[in-house]
């Protein structure tokens, strides 16, 4: 089973994600969550990737019970694209819409970005608006902050999230803080994005999970995308938000293919995504681990379990509304993450759930995360640091006993 | 202008080598001939640095004529192995207009400053000094928690501010309240920030002296050193995109030049051709670290050239020199869309801040010397008085008035309400999110339950 995962994109696992939102629930969500943005929603049934092992896809489609409350309202069939293309599409639409949006980072201009997210944009908008910077992360992040305070809306790209550790000073001391310390006079509508997470033998320095380091910084928001659909929607939402937003992408998810709507849509930054409704156990996950969880979900369904899988998407703040509703239904929680055991998103989420929903839990929360070790280069060792579907299956079985 | 065409490349080469050439150029007269033209003929040279620098120096060794087009430009060869000196034998000279007694040096090039401007500059320097003295005392009396004086550097902040337009964006370090003073920040506004009361523009969230005012184009001060430098480049990038007739001026000290941000910012600004004026207040000390322990180069001015930036060294205690240098730098920055580095040499007469006692690491007579003999305020005063624009009576009257105003402002600020509780949670994000609403509720509950443990004067 693990070998299927070796395929780049790891798209075999998931992917019949029917994001049907009950409109009433959505309105409630909007009122309680920060943003007043009205997202126009289109119910999308994402098709699986046409990769090796797509037989497994058909299995998923049949096995996973999808609760589609409303019939697909999409009038147009939509178009298929890869995740990095979805990011680019979102970025391009926003640059078209608002002349103040600009991009800065290493190799984003003529080269088109290391992961091709900004391909073609420099030709279209010029190399001032899509700016190639010298290699100084703290400084070009600082530059983005200065530009934002002066009225622009920059998107700062870190070639790899790990390099943004160099920008920690600017992000923590200035990006998150200046709106507050200036008494609201200066706002910093930046989007800081880049690929992170454990890749394919990239070594420890290129496999950092920055969300655990950044989650404490007051003043910033963090979101993690996992599908082309939510990548585009979150990118657009992040750009339109006046708060500084850190958008976490994953190195291995850039080539995921999905069919997304043609019409414009913007997702809610503070909302979690219901990937697979269920009754027995709530599995909370985000980014790449979503696919490992869905892979495990297949096995679990075959064994008779009915897991509810939620992609939390919003890492700061947590969407405790969706999560809480799920816990009230299932009473069992499993968190599957890629962060280290100590101080990761899972650790914070565990604390938050325990504080707020302790009464609803039948058993202690189980959190599956990577070990507290630097990610090794050797392929087998690397595989063992990342949570794999069999572990998830075992954890659910243990929880449900 | 014909002189320039004649002198041509010779001067051009000298010009890139050292700023001493400045003094040998034809002197400016009476402000009519635009000083920009002198520099204008070398426009864009900095951006073509790799391509247009002469292969040949003064030797005409034929080997030197053979060059190769390496990435970055054509380079000539030499068979003589010689390492560049780690510093030139002669230090870069310092531009000044007035001598120690406030007499204009005959050979100095400067634009005439009229009475209104001179008096405004001088009175601003006095006001700053008085404000500093009283607020420092207020800290010693326990009325405010912290203060940082600008003693010895009044000329830098006031004179540079005088040379700028209100549209120019200021990104300060923390020792430049004079700039804000020039732009019209009132004593009340200063004192309110120091007391962190309800009227503070920062809403009581920052330490004293961390001023910030959007309407004055003065970006809120952030304590970490040199973080404002890349932000200044970003702000200049924004101005460049909008094609505005304005530049960014960013201030920093000698200690900041060791930070990584300093180097990257100069580099970026040069590569991006951003209209930033980098103004370094080299006051000799970074808390207790003297410049000899900060860097081994000839000060900060030579670093500009390393990044391909036009630089000048100025006497920071000479108000007119600062005024002129900043004025010209600003024009160059905007017209030619390039960064400029100004190193203002000065001395930090006061302690680093109220948390410091500088007599512990430097001799008292050194401090006294700079406080009296080379004091920028008294040097400029001599010039202004000699011109008949100021008098001793006006001096004492002005000082007394400002002193009264500051004390009165302190009294008002002390009595003003503190910021209300919800200022603790607002502005963290654009709108207050759920978790913060929850946390605020918890705080209110706690305070209601144990009112004796919390200050009474915080409005709920």
């Amino acid at each position: 089973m693990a070998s299927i995962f070796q395929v780049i994109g790891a798209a075999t696992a998931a992917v019949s994600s029917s994001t049907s939102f009950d409109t009433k629930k959505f309105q409630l969500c909007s009122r309680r969550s920060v943003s007043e943005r009205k997202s126009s929603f289109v119910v999308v049934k994402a098709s699986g990737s046409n990769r090796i092992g797509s037989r497994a896809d058909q299995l998923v489609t049949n096995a996973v019970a999808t609760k589609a409350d409303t019939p697909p309202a999409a009038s147009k069939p939509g178009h298929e694209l890869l995740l990095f293309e979805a990011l680019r599409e979102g970025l391009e639409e926003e640059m078209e819409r608002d002349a103040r949006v600009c991009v800065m980072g290493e190799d984003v201009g003529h080269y088109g970005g290391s992961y091709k997210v900004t391909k073609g944009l420099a030709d279209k908008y010029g190399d001032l608006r899509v700016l190639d910077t010298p290699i100084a992360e703290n400084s070009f992040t600082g530059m983005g902050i200065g530009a934002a305070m002066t009225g622009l809306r920059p998107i700062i790209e870190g070639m790899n999230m790990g390099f943004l550790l160099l920008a920690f000073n600017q992000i923590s001391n200035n990006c998150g803080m200046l709106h507050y310390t200036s008494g609201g006079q200066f706002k910093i509508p930046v989007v800081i994005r880049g690929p992170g997470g454990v890749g394919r033998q990239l070594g420890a320095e290129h496999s950092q999970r920055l969300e655990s380091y950044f989650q404490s910084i007051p003043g910033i928001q963090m979101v993690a995308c996992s599908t082309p659909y939510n990548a585009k929607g979150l990118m657009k939402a992040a750009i339109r938000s006046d708060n500084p937003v850190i958008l976490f992408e994953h190195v291995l998810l850039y080539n995921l293919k999905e069919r997304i709507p043609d019409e414009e849509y913007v997702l809610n930054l503070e909302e979690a995504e219901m990937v697979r409704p269920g009754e027995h156990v709530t599995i909370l996950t985000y980014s790449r681990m979503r696919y490992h969880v869905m892979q495990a979900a297949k096995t679990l369904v075959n064994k008779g379990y009915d897991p509810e899988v939620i992609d939390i998407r919003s890492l700061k703040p947590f969407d405790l509304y969706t999560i809480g509703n799920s816990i009230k239904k299932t009473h069992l929680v499993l968190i599957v993450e890629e962060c280290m055991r100590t101080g990761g998103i899972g650790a914070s989420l565990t604390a938050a759930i325990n504080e707020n929903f302790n009464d609803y839990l039948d058993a202690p929360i189980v959190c599956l995360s990577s070990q507290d070790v630097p990610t090794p280069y050797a392929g087998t060792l690397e595989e063992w640091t990342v949570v794999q579907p069999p572990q998830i299956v075992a954890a659910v079985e243990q929880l449900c006993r | 202008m014909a002189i320039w065409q004649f002198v041509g490349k010779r001067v051009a080469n000298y010009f890139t080598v050292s700023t001493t050439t400045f003094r040998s150029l034809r002197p400016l007269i009476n402000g009519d001939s635009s000083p920009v033209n002198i520099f204008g003929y070398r426009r864009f040279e900095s951006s073509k640095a790799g391509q247009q620098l002469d292969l040949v120096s003064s030797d005409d060794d034929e080997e030197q004529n053979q060059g190769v087009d390496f990435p970055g430009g054509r380079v000539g060869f030499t068979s003589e192995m010689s390492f560049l000196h780690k510093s030139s034998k002669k230090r870069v000279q310092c531009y000044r207009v007035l001598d120690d007694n406030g007499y204009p040096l005959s050979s100095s090039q400067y634009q005439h400053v009229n009475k209104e401007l001179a008096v405004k500059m001088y009175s601003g320097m006095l006001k700053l000094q008085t404000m500093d003295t009283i607020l420092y005392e207020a800290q010693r009396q326990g009325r405010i928690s912290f203060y940082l004086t600008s003693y010895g550097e009044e000329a830098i902040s006031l004179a540079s501010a005088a040379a700028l337009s209100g549209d120019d964006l200021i990104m300060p370090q923390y020792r430049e309240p004079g700039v804000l003073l020039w732009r019209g920040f009132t004593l009340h506004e200063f004192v309110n920030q120091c007391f962190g009361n309800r009227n503070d523009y920062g809403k009581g969230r920052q330490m004293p002296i961390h001023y910030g005012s959007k309407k004055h184009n003065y970006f809120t001060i952030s304590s970490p050193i040199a973080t404002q430098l890349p932000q200044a480049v970003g702000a200049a990038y924004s101005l460049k995109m909008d094609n505005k007739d304005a530049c960014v001026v960013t201030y920093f000290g000698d200690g900041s030049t060791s930070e990584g941000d300093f180097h990257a910012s100069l580099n970026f600004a040069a590569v991006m051709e951003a209209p930033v004026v980098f103004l370094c207040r080299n006051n000799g000390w970074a808390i207790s670290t003297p410049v000899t322990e900060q860097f081994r180069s000839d000060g900060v001015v030579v670093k500009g050239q390393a990044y391909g930036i036009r630089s000048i060294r100025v006497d920071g205690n000479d108000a007119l020199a600062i005024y002129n240098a900043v004025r010209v730098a600003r024009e160059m920055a905007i017209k030619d869309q390039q960064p400029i580095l100004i190193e203002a040499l000065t001395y930090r007469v006061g302690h680093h801040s109220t948390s410091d006692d500088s007599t512990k690491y430097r001799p008292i007579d050194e401090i006294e010397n700079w406080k009296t003999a080379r004091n920028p305020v008294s040097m400029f005063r001599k010039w202004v008085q000699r011109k008949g624009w100021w008098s001793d009576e006006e001096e004492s009257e002005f000082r007394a008035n400002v002193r009264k105003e500051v004390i009165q402002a302190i009294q008002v600020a002390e009595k003003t309400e503190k910021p209300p509780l919800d200022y603790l949670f607002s502005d963290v994000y654009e709108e207050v999110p759920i978790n913060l609403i929850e946390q605020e509720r918890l705080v209110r509950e706690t305070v209601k339950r144990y009112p004796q443990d919390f200050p009474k004067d915080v409005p709920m």
Side-chain angles (χ1 to χ4, degrees), chain A residues 2-275:
Chain A
S3 58
I4 297 177
F5 267 87
Q6 299 309 317
V7 175
I8 301 270
T12 53
V15 214
S16 186
S17 56
S18 173
T19 51
S20 64
F21 274 75
D22 184 46
T23 41
K24 181 157 157 255
K25 182 167 127 189
F26 172 69
Q27 277 160 13
L28 276 169
C29 258
S30 299
R31 260 210 293 282
R32 292 194 57 179
S33 49
V34 175
S35 165
E36 292 160 287
R37 201 168 304 115
K38 301 279 180 283
S39 316
S40 58
F41 252 83
V42 175
V43 172
V44 171
K45 208 155 189 290
S47 60
S49 148
N50 312 332
R51 294 217 172 252
I52 312 164
S54 51
R55 252 191 78 226
D57 273 319
Q58 290 158 15
L59 226 88
V60 175
T61 326
N62 293 335
V64 176
T66 54
K67 289 186 185 151
D69 304 59
T70 33
S75 44
K76 296 186 192 150
H79 55 286
E80 231 179 31
L81 41 51
L82 305 177
L83 195 143
F84 74 87
E85 289 170 342
L87 287 167
R88 190 197 323 136
E89 215 176 74
L91 185 48
E92 196 165 347
E93 281 174 20
E94 289 305 303
M95 286 182 83
E96 193 68 47
R97 178 179 172 267
D98 187 347
R100 298 169 300 168
V101 178
C102 53
V103 184
M104 48 186 80
E106 294 156 16
D107 297 313
V108 295
H110 300 287
Y111 188 67
S114 312
Y115 293 93
K116 299 283 172 281
V117 173
T118 52
K119 187 170 177 190
L121 294 180
D123 296 326
K124 192 168 171 194
Y125 295 106
D127 50 13
L128 195 59
R129 218 171 144 194
V130 184
L131 186 72
D132 276 328
T133 63
I135 310 176
E137 282 75 8
N138 197 35
S139 309
F140 67 69
T141 307
M143 211 178 107
I145 293 169
M149 289 200 285
T150 323
L152 293 183
R153 304 185 79 89
I155 292 135
I156 300 164
E157 173 174 315
M159 192 181 280
N160 185 290
M161 270 286 170
F163 306 153
L164 291 182
L165 283 170
L166 286 150
F168 212 117
N169 183 22
Q170 286 283 350
I171 294 175
S172 171
N173 274 327
N174 290 341
C175 183
M177 245 187 236
L178 275 166
H179 187 242
Y180 186 73
T181 58
S182 69
Q185 291 182 87
F186 297 100
K187 67 177 183 189
I188 309 179
V190 295
V191 176
I192 299 172
R193 51 160 291 270
V198 178
R200 198 74 59 206
Q201 292 192 267
L202 296 176
E205 296 95 341
H206 295 86
S207 311
Q208 296 269 31
R209 276 77 77 186
L210 275 252
E211 54 267 23
S212 38
Y213 307 143
F214 285 152
Q215 61 177 325
S216 216
I217 302 174
I220 55 156
Q221 272 186 272
M222 305 199 309
V223 286
C225 63
S226 47
T227 66
Y229 178 73
N230 63 34
K232 179 176 173 185
L234 290 175
M235 170 72 99
K236 289 170 74 86
I239 295 174
R240 292 187 192 192
S241 166
D242 273 342
N243 293 319
V245 179
I246 305 185
L247 172 58
F248 291 92
E249 300 150 15
H250 197 286
V251 271
L252 293 182
L253 297 184
Y254 276 131
N255 288 322
L256 272 182
K257 195 186 278 195
E258 191 183 354
R259 185 164 285 272
I260 64 169
D262 286 330
E263 50 270 351
E264 196 184 19
Y265 66 94
V266 179
L267 292 179
N268 197 341
L269 283 177
E270 297 88 8
E271 204 156 12
E273 191 178 318
M274 179 70 69
V275 183

Side-chain angles (χ1 to χ4, degrees), chain A residues 32-36 99-104 128-136 138-147 149-152 169-170 173-187 217-221 242-244 316-317, chain B residues 169 171 201-203 205-206 210 212-215 217-222 224-242 244 259-262 264-265 267-268 271-272 423-435:
Chain A
R32 292 194 57 179
S33 49
V34 175
S35 165
E36 292 160 287
R100 298 169 300 168
V101 178
C102 53
V103 184
M104 48 186 80
L128 195 59
R129 218 171 144 194
V130 184
L131 186 72
D132 276 328
T133 63
I135 310 176
N138 197 35
S139 309
F140 67 69
T141 307
M143 211 178 107
I145 293 169
M149 289 200 285
T150 323
L152 293 183
N169 183 22
Q170 286 283 350
N173 274 327
N174 290 341
C175 183
M177 245 187 236
L178 275 166
H179 187 242
Y180 186 73
T181 58
S182 69
Q185 291 182 87
F186 297 100
K187 67 177 183 189
I217 302 174
I220 55 156
Q221 272 186 272
D242 273 342
N243 293 319
K316 185 181 168 81
Chain B
L169 307 176
M171 305 208 86
Y201 290 156
K203 298 184 187 162
R205 294 161 181 160
Q206 258 290 16
H210 286 65
S213 174
K214 189 168 178 141
K215 63 181 186 203
N217 280 328
Y218 189 92
F219 284 71
T220 305
I221 293 172
S222 173
I225 297 284
T227 50
Q228 75 278 15
L229 295 176
Q231 291 171 11
V233 179
Y237 164 75
S238 174
L239 292 179
K240 194 183 169 83
M241 287 247 280
D242 292 340
K244 285 225 175 93
E259 281 279 351
D261 275 348
F262 166 75
S265 312
N267 193 32
F268 274 46
V271 168
M272 271 179 31
Y423 276 11
L424 182 59
F425 297 98
S426 58
D427 294 327
V428 181
Y429 293 96
E430 204 56 31
E431 292 149 22
V432 189
I434 310 176
N435 59 326

Side-chain angles (χ1 to χ4, degrees), chain B residues 138-324:
Chain B
Q139 193 277 343
R140 285 286 180 249
Q141 291 169 9
R143 291 167 153 193
I144 53 177
S145 66
F146 177 83
Y147 195 73
L148 202 148
T149 59
S150 307
Y151 295 147
E153 298 178 52
E154 297 91 346
I156 294 181
S157 37
L158 263 309
S160 59
L164 301 170
S165 91
D167 287 333
D168 294 325
L169 307 176
I170 306 287
M171 305 208 86
Q173 178 66 65
Y174 45 56
R175 219 180 282 279
E176 304 87 13
V179 179
L180 206 46
L181 193 69
W182 177 272
R183 289 193 166 188
F185 215 54
T186 65
L187 287 173
H188 286 279
E189 288 168 318
F190 277 115
V191 176
N192 282 335
Q193 197 284 330
C194 288
F195 278 86
N197 61 28
R198 202 196 181 108
N199 296 334
D200 169 25
Y201 290 156
K203 298 184 187 162
R205 294 161 181 160
Q206 258 290 16
M207 287 171 73
I209 68 98
H210 286 65
Y211 311 110
S213 174
K214 189 168 178 141
K215 63 181 186 203
H216 295 106
N217 280 328
Y218 189 92
F219 284 71
T220 305
I221 293 172
S222 173
S223 312
I225 297 284
T227 50
Q228 75 278 15
L229 295 176
Q231 291 171 11
V233 179
Y237 164 75
S238 174
L239 292 179
K240 194 183 169 83
M241 287 247 280
D242 292 340
N243 249 316
K244 285 225 175 93
D245 178 24
C247 68
V248 179
V249 180
T250 176
Y251 298 80
F252 52 99
D254 41 287
S256 307
T257 64
S258 296
E259 281 279 351
D261 275 348
F262 166 75
H263 302 276
S265 312
L266 288 197
N267 193 32
F268 274 46
V271 168
M272 271 179 31
E273 294 174 6
V276 201
V277 176
F278 291 99
L279 212 161
C280 178
R281 295 175 292 98
N282 184 345
N283 61 21
W285 294 91
I287 308 190
S288 69
T289 309
V291 284
T292 45
E293 284 172 32
Q294 196 71 251
F295 39 69
R296 286 296 156 88
S297 55
D298 173 17
V300 176
V301 65
V302 292
K303 297 189 206 221
Q305 186 176 38
Y307 292 106
I309 295 180
R310 274 204 189 121
S311 329
I312 185 171
R313 171 172 275 167
V314 183
D315 180 357
N317 291 350
D318 182 345
L320 290 182
I322 294 278
Y323 174 80
N324 275 279

